[in-house]
């Protein structure tokens, strides 16, 4: 009896060692994924989780009144341009869907998203149904474990550590950099937030867990 529904598969896209530090650190991983996907013979719905090496983050402050999705996206693009300059114009930007409190904006190279779509042509068996940054995937897995006072999300990858603080009113901060000493990074972020009530819970994730 044939399957009525396609198989579901999660693919974790992370850089190959030779690509770290390059202008397109996702290129080697994308090429490998394309070759692998071309060999799949069963119908499969694919969700891709992106390494934090490929993603930029920014926290959008809580807005007075109800902002439209277009206004939220414009604010996110402005934030990324202010931080990263002209190169941000070539990025695909998304904003987390929280309707209250501060929001998280994510940006990836538009060429990466285009390349991912190219790995799953309409003529193939595999269909791309979701692309998620590592931080958002970790948050979605952990959200039921985050208490009212918030928590730290610590995401470790080779040569990359992402630390985000979730507060009672949305996202409070996010740092995504090359630091690998997690405890030192947490203490530094705590000192920057002096005067605020900070969470004690640290939820740790690795890409693939």
């Amino acid at each position: 009896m044939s399957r009525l529904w396609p198989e579901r598969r999660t693919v974790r896209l992370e850089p190959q060692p030779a690509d770290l530090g390059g202008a397109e650190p996702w290129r080697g991983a994308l090429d490998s994924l394309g070759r692998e996907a071309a060999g799949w013979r069963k119908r499969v719905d694919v969700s891709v989780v992106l390494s934090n090496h490929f993603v930029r983050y920014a926290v959008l402050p809580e807005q007075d009144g109800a902002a439209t999705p277009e206004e939220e996206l414009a604010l996110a693009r402005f934030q990324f341009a202010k931080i990263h300059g002209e190169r941000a114009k070539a990025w695909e930007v998304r904003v987390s869907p929280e309707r209250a409190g501060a929001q998280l904006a994510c940006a990836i190279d538009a060429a990466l998203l285009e390349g991912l779509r190219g790995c799953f042509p309409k003529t193939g068996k595999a269909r791309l149904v979701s692309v998620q940054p590592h931080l958002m995937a970790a948050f979605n897995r952990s959200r039921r474990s985050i208490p009212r006072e918030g928590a730290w999300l610590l995401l470790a990858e080779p040569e990359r550590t992402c630390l985000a603080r979730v507060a009672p009113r949305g996202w409070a901060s996010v740092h995504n950099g090359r630091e690998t000493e997690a405890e030192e990074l947490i203490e530094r972020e705590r000192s920057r937030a002096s005067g605020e009530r900070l969470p004690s819970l640290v939820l740790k994730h690795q890409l693939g867990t």
Side-chain angles (χ1 to χ4, degrees), residues 34-113:
R35 291 191 295 270
E36 181 182 353
W40 293 343
R41 296 292 178 256
K42 295 181 180 180
R43 291 178 60 209
V44 57
D45 283 349
V46 180
S47 297
V48 175
V49 177
L50 298 175
S51 162
N52 283 323
H53 282 276
F54 310 148
V55 188
R56 298 90 173 175
Y57 300 106
V59 173
L60 305 184
E62 184 173 3
Q63 302 299 299
D64 294 330
T68 67
E70 292 76 15
E71 290 170 336
E72 292 171 351
L73 186 58
L75 175 61
R77 291 188 182 282
F78 174 76
Q79 289 283 84
F80 282 119
K82 185 168 65 173
I83 298 169
H84 299 281
E86 286 292 310
R87 60 183 179 144
K89 292 181 178 180
W91 296 348
E92 284 285 335
V93 177
R94 297 290 185 271
V95 179
S96 62
E98 291 88 3
R99 305 316 306 169
Q103 294 171 283
L104 183 70
C106 310
I108 65 172
D109 292 349
L112 169 56
L113 184 58

Side-chain angles (χ1 to χ4, degrees), residues 136-203:
M136 291 308 304
F139 172 73
N140 289 334
R141 289 198 304 271
S142 299
R143 62 192 315 162
R144 293 183 182 275
S145 304
I146 297 176
R148 184 182 298 272
E149 61 270 19
W152 299 90
L153 295 179
L154 179 64
L155 284 62
E157 300 181 43
E159 299 187 34
R160 173 74 42 168
T161 300
C162 179
L163 178 68
R165 178 162 61 95
V166 182
R169 292 288 296 178
W171 296 86
S173 66
V174 60
H175 175 89
N176 183 29
R178 292 184 178 276
E179 293 88 345
T180 56
E181 293 297 328
E183 294 304 321
E184 180 180 330
L185 179 57
I186 290 174
E187 287 306 312
R188 191 175 72 198
E189 292 299 303
R190 281 175 171 154
S191 66
R192 287 180 176 176
S194 59
E196 297 182 48
R197 184 176 180 181
L198 299 177
S200 57
L201 179 64
V202 179
L203 298 173

